[in-house]
Amino acid sequence: MQQHYDTSSVFVAVIGRPNVGKSSLTNRLVGEKVAIVTNKPQTTRNRITAILNRGESQFVFVDTPGLHKARTRLGDYMVKVVTSSLSDVDCALLLVEPIPHVGEPEKILLQRIREEKLPCVLCINKIDTVEKEELLSVMQVYGAAHDFAAIVPISAKRNEGVDELLAGLDEYTRAAPALEAFGARVFKVSQDERGERLTWLRVTGGELKVKAQLTGEADGEPWAEKANQLRLYSGAKYTLTEAIGPGQVCAVTGLTKARPGEGLGAERDSD
């Protein structure tokens, strides 16, 4: 086992209209197939979290359904997932096609971003399909519509501009305050390939050690369970660690009661 410290993390919501390439970009960023990739729009129904460890930075990508005009209950749900995702992240990555026009879905997303006061990186995908002059026009139109933290042209298909995109997002990584008391926030619950429950959390203070006993409350009843494993994921692969410190994200086995949004230790529950 290893012991990891001095790591900062950033939660990034990957947003955009249907079929713009969000899942393909997420897969390209982490180097693994972690999201559904298909030509059929609206296949990403739930927020899919992918994690990339790069140097001393952890990138947590929240891949959302494409925002569209809801016509069904499924559509209503997917729109809700997109807008709620923006409340739980450090920055947004708006993915668009190289078209010199800000459509209604993009206007809605940008308005939501302004309401949340989130920094936003504009990512123009599929630049291999247009000439340089057309790309400049796209950058000008979007630059006039919103004060983006950065505008990065890429081709997820050809892996062009991906390193520049990660470098831009790295500016928003943050370490948790160096508090002595342990605290963590649960942000996701899933299962691994063997069906074992994984509780994903971000440490906000102190230190979490393997086999530590964690406590909480579920349905009005207190619970106490041990953290059997601390997994540091990058793509689909992980390493085991003995302890994690502030600012780090990990998956914990052995917890059956913790729920998304729950605060552990000194951390309070999210609203």
Side-chain angles (χ1 to χ4, degrees), residues 82-112:
V82 173
T83 54
S84 64
S85 295
L86 294 175
S87 301
D88 305 324
V89 297
D90 301 311
C91 70
L93 192 162
L94 175 60
L95 189 64
V96 301
E97 293 185 333
I99 300 172
H101 171 71
V102 182
E104 192 62 27
E106 288 77 22
K107 290 179 181 178
I108 294 173
L109 288 170
L110 289 174
Q111 178 59 35
R112 188 77 175 88

Coordinates of all heavy atoms in Angstrom, one line a residue, residues 82-112:
V82 N -28.6 17.8 -15.2 CA -27.7 18.8 -15.7 C -27.6 20.0 -14.8 O -26.5 20.4 -14.3 CB -28.0 19.2 -17.1 CG1 -27.1 20.4 -17.5 CG2 -27.9 18.1 -18.1
T83 N -28.8 20.6 -14.5 CA -28.8 21.8 -13.7 C -28.3 21.6 -12.3 O -27.6 22.4 -11.7 CB -30.2 22.4 -13.7 OG1 -31.1 21.5 -13.3 CG2 -30.5 22.9 -15.1
S84 N -28.7 20.4 -11.7 CA -28.2 20.1 -10.3 C -26.7 19.9 -10.2 O -26.1 20.1 -9.2 CB -29.0 19.0 -9.7 OG -28.7 17.8 -10.4
S85 N -26.2 19.3 -11.3 CA -24.7 19.1 -11.3 C -23.9 20.3 -11.1 O -22.8 20.3 -10.5 CB -24.3 18.4 -12.7 OG -24.9 17.2 -12.9
L86 N -24.4 21.4 -11.6 CA -23.6 22.7 -11.5 C -23.6 23.2 -10.0 O -22.7 24.1 -9.8 CB -24.3 23.8 -12.4 CG -24.2 23.5 -13.9 CD1 -24.9 24.5 -14.7 CD2 -22.7 23.4 -14.3
S87 N -24.4 22.6 -9.2 CA -24.4 23.1 -7.8 C -23.3 22.3 -6.9 O -23.0 22.7 -5.8 CB -25.7 22.9 -7.1 OG -26.7 23.6 -7.8
D88 N -22.7 21.3 -7.5 CA -21.8 20.4 -6.8 C -20.4 20.4 -7.3 O -19.6 19.5 -6.9 CB -22.4 19.0 -6.8 CG -23.8 18.9 -6.3 OD1 -24.1 19.6 -5.4 OD2 -24.6 18.1 -6.9
V89 N -20.0 21.4 -8.1 CA -18.7 21.3 -8.7 C -17.9 22.6 -8.5 O -18.4 23.6 -8.0 CB -18.8 21.1 -10.2 CG1 -19.4 19.7 -10.5 CG2 -19.6 22.2 -10.9
D90 N -16.6 22.6 -8.8 CA -15.7 23.7 -8.7 C -15.7 24.6 -9.9 O -15.4 25.8 -9.9 CB -14.3 23.3 -8.4 CG -14.2 22.4 -7.1 OD1 -14.8 22.9 -6.1 OD2 -13.7 21.3 -7.1
C91 N -15.9 23.9 -11.1 CA -15.9 24.7 -12.3 C -16.7 23.9 -13.4 O -17.0 22.7 -13.2 CB -14.5 25.0 -12.8 SG -13.6 23.6 -13.4
A92 N -17.0 24.6 -14.5 CA -17.8 23.9 -15.6 C -17.0 23.9 -16.8 O -16.1 24.8 -17.1 CB -19.1 24.7 -15.8
L93 N -17.2 22.9 -17.6 CA -16.5 22.8 -18.9 C -17.7 22.7 -19.9 O -18.4 21.7 -20.0 CB -15.6 21.5 -19.0 CG -14.7 21.4 -20.2 CD1 -13.6 20.4 -19.9 CD2 -15.4 21.0 -21.5
L94 N -17.9 23.8 -20.7 CA -18.9 23.8 -21.7 C -18.4 23.3 -23.0 O -17.5 24.0 -23.6 CB -19.5 25.2 -21.8 CG -20.6 25.4 -22.9 CD1 -21.8 24.5 -22.7 CD2 -21.0 26.9 -23.0
L95 N -18.9 22.2 -23.5 CA -18.4 21.7 -24.8 C -19.4 22.0 -25.9 O -20.6 21.8 -25.8 CB -18.3 20.1 -24.6 CG -17.7 19.4 -25.8 CD1 -16.2 19.8 -25.9 CD2 -17.8 17.9 -25.6
V96 N -18.9 22.6 -27.0 CA -19.7 23.0 -28.1 C -19.1 22.6 -29.4 O -17.9 22.2 -29.4 CB -19.9 24.6 -28.1 CG1 -20.5 25.0 -26.8 CG2 -18.6 25.3 -28.4
E97 N -19.9 22.6 -30.4 CA -19.4 22.3 -31.8 C -18.9 23.6 -32.4 O -19.3 24.7 -32.0 CB -20.5 21.6 -32.6 CG -20.8 20.3 -32.1 CD -21.8 19.6 -33.0 OE1 -22.6 20.3 -33.7 OE2 -21.8 18.3 -33.1
P98 N -18.0 23.5 -33.4 CA -17.5 24.7 -34.1 C -18.5 25.4 -35.0 O -18.3 25.5 -36.2 CB -16.3 24.2 -34.8 CG -16.6 22.8 -35.2 CD -17.4 22.3 -34.0
I99 N -19.6 26.0 -34.4 CA -20.6 26.7 -35.1 C -20.7 28.1 -34.5 O -20.9 28.2 -33.3 CB -22.0 26.0 -35.0 CG1 -21.9 24.5 -35.5 CG2 -23.1 26.7 -35.7 CD1 -23.1 23.7 -35.3
P100 N -20.6 29.1 -35.3 CA -20.6 30.5 -34.8 C -21.9 31.0 -34.4 O -22.4 32.0 -34.9 CB -20.0 31.3 -36.0 CG -20.4 30.5 -37.2 CD -20.3 29.1 -36.8
H101 N -22.6 30.3 -33.5 CA -23.9 30.7 -33.1 C -24.1 30.1 -31.7 O -23.9 28.9 -31.4 CB -25.0 30.2 -34.0 CG -26.4 30.4 -33.5 ND1 -27.0 31.6 -33.4 CD2 -27.3 29.5 -33.0 CE1 -28.2 31.5 -32.9 NE2 -28.4 30.2 -32.7
V102 N -24.6 30.9 -30.7 CA -24.9 30.5 -29.4 C -26.3 30.1 -29.3 O -27.2 30.9 -29.4 CB -24.6 31.6 -28.3 CG1 -24.8 31.0 -26.9 CG2 -23.1 32.0 -28.4
G103 N -26.6 28.8 -29.3 CA -28.0 28.3 -29.3 C -28.7 28.4 -28.0 O -28.1 28.8 -27.0
E104 N -30.0 28.1 -28.0 CA -30.8 28.2 -26.8 C -30.2 27.3 -25.6 O -30.2 27.8 -24.5 CB -32.2 27.9 -27.0 CG -33.2 28.3 -25.9 CD -33.2 29.8 -25.6 OE1 -32.9 30.6 -26.5 OE2 -33.5 30.1 -24.5
P105 N -29.9 26.0 -25.9 CA -29.3 25.2 -24.8 C -28.1 25.8 -24.2 O -27.9 25.8 -22.9 CB -29.0 23.9 -25.5 CG -29.9 23.8 -26.7 CD -30.0 25.3 -27.2
E106 N -27.2 26.4 -25.0 CA -26.0 27.0 -24.5 C -26.3 28.3 -23.6 O -25.7 28.5 -22.6 CB -25.0 27.4 -25.6 CG -24.3 26.2 -26.3 CD -25.2 25.4 -27.2 OE1 -26.2 26.0 -27.7 OE2 -24.9 24.3 -27.5
K107 N -27.3 29.0 -24.1 CA -27.7 30.2 -23.3 C -28.2 29.8 -22.0 O -27.9 30.5 -21.0 CB -28.8 31.0 -24.1 CG -28.2 31.7 -25.4 CD -29.4 32.4 -26.1 CE -28.8 33.1 -27.4 NZ -29.9 33.7 -28.2
I108 N -29.0 28.8 -21.9 CA -29.6 28.3 -20.6 C -28.5 27.9 -19.7 O -28.4 28.2 -18.5 CB -30.6 27.1 -20.9 CG1 -31.8 27.6 -21.6 CG2 -31.0 26.5 -19.5 CD1 -32.7 26.5 -22.1
L109 N -27.5 27.1 -20.2 CA -26.4 26.6 -19.4 C -25.5 27.8 -18.9 O -25.1 27.9 -17.7 CB -25.5 25.7 -20.2 CG -26.1 24.3 -20.5 CD1 -25.3 23.5 -21.5 CD2 -26.3 23.5 -19.2
L110 N -25.3 28.8 -19.8 CA -24.5 29.9 -19.4 C -25.2 30.8 -18.3 O -24.5 31.3 -17.4 CB -24.1 30.8 -20.6 CG -23.1 30.1 -21.6 CD1 -23.0 31.0 -22.8 CD2 -21.8 30.0 -20.9
Q111 N -26.5 30.9 -18.4 CA -27.2 31.6 -17.4 C -27.1 30.9 -16.1 O -26.9 31.5 -15.0 CB -28.7 31.7 -17.8 CG -29.6 32.4 -16.8 CD -29.1 33.8 -16.5 OE1 -28.6 34.5 -17.4 NE2 -29.3 34.3 -15.2
R112 N -27.2 29.6 -16.1 CA -27.1 28.8 -14.8 C -25.7 28.9 -14.3 O -25.5 29.0 -13.0 CB -27.4 27.3 -15.1 CG -27.5 26.4 -13.9 CD -28.8 26.6 -13.2 NE -29.0 25.7 -12.1 CZ -28.6 25.9 -10.8 NH1 -28.0 27.1 -10.6 NH2 -28.8 25.1 -9.9

